[in-house]
Amino acid sequence: MKRVFIGILGFGGVVIVVLLVLLFVMSHRLKGNIEDSINARLQVLQESVPNFSYEPFSCSGLKQIVCKSSGVGFKDVKLENVRLEVGQFTKNQGSVRIVSEKMSFAGEELLTLLFGVLAQDMDFSDVLLPKSLDCSISGVLGKSEQAQDVDTMDTTATCLAKGENLSYSFAWGMQAEIGAMLELPPAHFSDVLSSMIKAYEEDSQKLLTQTLVLFKSAKLSLEPKDLARTIITKLAQDKELDTQAYQQQHANLARSLQSMKAFVIYIALLSDVGEKAQNLEPLVDGVLAMILGENNGVVYELRHNDANTHKSLSLGEWLHNPVLSL
């Protein structure tokens, strides 16, 4: 089941990096031109992450600064009509929010393949994929629970991707030991971010090897809205169905989903998941029950196991394998 989260954690990690960059820039909005600073930082990110692309941001406002771009994204996920909002910055914390009015995906053909057992060449992306995104990230300075003389930053991120019939919410929590990167004891949240950016620019490997992170948890929730009825109506090509015809379509859908499940498990057995394929079955069952309208949604969560509850990794190790200690 962990394998399912690797892609989610990877994408979530890059989103958090982008937001942290913006968090840093916005915290220094009185020290320069915020618009130029954001675009310059994103240009650096684009050079280091080839799959990342963006249209330049345009910022406005004085007390409440809002920056807008026509598009930001990666190879498989694009965000359009993007808006950035800076939250309140205090001595110990800061936050940034990113909102996209439209999401588009490059991998929609995967849905066509999986749902081909329901109807050949029928596009289910409008039913199953989200259309908008709202993410917030906040950082809070503190001390380690294990050592009160160790400076830390707790980072939490929440995202809600909403679709017409299926919404996805994602919550993420991580703590980083930042003392090794600080030139002076932290006086203000923005100064901490400034020291970390400077440390990365001077010696990126030092930051990756000496910054210890403790990943706390990740939770993915799927919440349907008239999902079963919408899929059945689509399969019926929008024809009116009486109760008996609807029940028959529902039974046909259940049989088709079992075929889909067999296909997914078969692919898992052929992949490097191998002997862990049986762990995938309850996850698939939950999603299929949701599609059939037999539950109110599903929640999947990763936490540390008992042996790794307090196990920290270097930032480099964590980026290489986000679920290493889970």
Side-chain angles (χ1 to χ4, degrees), residues 126-141:
D126 60 329
V127 178
L128 298 172
L129 294 179
K131 299 181 185 249
S132 64
L133 180 70
D134 188 339
C135 284
S136 296
I137 181 172
S138 62
V140 179
L141 302 181

Side-chain angles (χ1 to χ4, degrees), residues 22-38 41 61-62 65 89-90 183-184 187-198:
L22 298 171
L23 198 63
F24 163 71
V25 173
M26 287 183 162
S27 70
H28 288 73
R29 59 189 181 277
L30 299 180
K31 299 180 181 180
N33 187 310
I34 183 173
E35 185 176 304
D36 291 342
S37 298
I38 288 177
R41 291 287 175 179
L62 294 175
I65 295 178
F89 280 82
T90 66
E183 297 176 339
L184 298 170
H188 194 276
F189 183 81
S190 59
D191 295 330
V192 171
L193 290 175
S194 178
S195 294
M196 295 182 70
I197 294 292
K198 182 178 179 181

